[in-house]
Amino acid sequence: MVAVGVGVVPEFDGADDVRVLPFVTGEVSIGRATVQLRGQGLRVDLAADPRFAIGPVIGARLPRNDADGAVGLLPEIDTAIEAGGFIGYRLGGDQYGQGSIQMELSLVHDVSNTHDGLLATASASYAAVRTPDFFLSLDAQTTWANADYTRTYFGIDDTAAVASGLPAYRTGSGFKDVGAGLTAGYWFSRRFGVIARARASYLVGDAAASPVTDEGRRWQPAGGIALSYRF
């Protein structure tokens, strides 16, 4: 299955503006492996098991450039490429998967020397409705980030403070956000359908207290809609 459409995401971590991007998702089986494309990330499930999942993951984190106001006077941040792995397990569910709970943990590190940080994300999703023509899933997640990551995106050193007029701010490691989302899909025919997703995360800890976030907002909404095709 592949789906292509349009979506919106925060312009950068802590921003109050959004940017429009292609909304792309998909899942293709190649031998015993399954390639899964999710937004700016791609991963490969190497486990030939309907309940257990494990494999590598790689993704891109959007840059912070051309920001408005005082944040725009801070150093720009390039696109980051993050790579690592994930592991997951599915509990329960009927023959269509309805009622199942999928738990996952992913760990990624910057490999592009943009923030040199480490992030760990724990998530859980619930398949509320699963029929041959319609599905509805609910999910929740939280992300922990180390000091290298939070320093890059939310910290302000003395030089940047002078340039921007924002107060200097030191950060440490800790949980940076919690969030929840909803994904729904409907198949008009055997081949074509539509998929929609909406989610919002809420910055916490040092990320929430940063002057960068004060210039923006703690709520970080995202969403998209796409035409899907299965083969």
Side-chain angles (χ1 to χ4, degrees):
M1 184 276 292
V2 294
V4 179
V6 63
V8 294
V9 298
E11 189 173 4
F12 54 85
D13 273 3
D16 61 356
D17 293 325
V18 297
R19 67 173 80 190
V20 178
L21 290 177
F23 175 49
V24 182
T25 185
E27 185 168 301
V28 179
S29 295
I30 303 176
R32 297 172 64 86
T34 302
V35 179
Q36 300 168 335
L37 179 62
R38 299 182 177 182
Q40 287 81 53
L42 183 146
R43 68 185 201 174
V44 181
D45 181 6
L46 301 175
D49 188 305
R51 294 194 177 275
F52 180 67
I54 189 170
V57 59
I58 188 168
R61 186 169 299 274
L62 297 175
R64 187 177 76 191
N65 50 30
D66 297 326
D68 296 329
V71 176
L73 300 176
L74 297 173
E76 293 189 348
I77 304 173
D78 295 331
T79 300
I81 304 299
E82 299 163 351
F86 76 98
I87 186 170
Y89 191 76
R90 183 168 65 90
L91 300 170
D94 61 15
Q95 67 270 31
Y96 298 114
Q98 181 168 307
S100 64
I101 297 175
Q102 178 81 20
M103 298 180 295
E104 290 187 359
L105 177 65
S106 69
L107 188 68
V108 296
H109 192 280
D110 175 33
V111 295
S112 59
N113 295 320
T114 298
H115 60 75
D116 294 320
L118 180 71
L119 297 103
T121 301
S123 64
S125 63
Y126 172 66
V129 180
R130 286 289 170 89
T131 72
D133 297 327
F134 178 73
F135 70 86
L136 174 67
S137 298
L138 309 174
D139 60 87
Q141 69 175 40
T142 185
T143 299
W144 176 94
N146 74 351
D148 289 324
Y149 177 90
T150 60
R151 183 164 51 244
T152 300
Y153 291 94
F154 298 101
I156 302 175
D157 62 21
D158 292 338
T159 301
V162 172
S164 65
L166 297 173
Y169 183 70
R170 293 180 59 86
T171 66
S173 60
F175 286 96
K176 80 175 188 74
D177 62 30
V178 294
L182 180 151
T183 305
Y186 178 74
W187 294 101
F188 303 116
S189 67
R190 182 171 175 269
R191 297 290 186 187
F192 291 97
V194 63
I195 293 177
R197 168 135 177 95
R199 73 176 301 273
S201 60
Y202 188 69
L203 296 175
V204 298
D206 286 355
S210 169
V212 174
T213 305
D214 287 341
E215 292 291 308
R217 61 183 173 188
R218 296 177 67 173
W219 281 109
Q220 302 284 278
I225 187 168
L227 181 68
S228 55
Y229 177 79
R230 57 185 173 185
F231 51 93

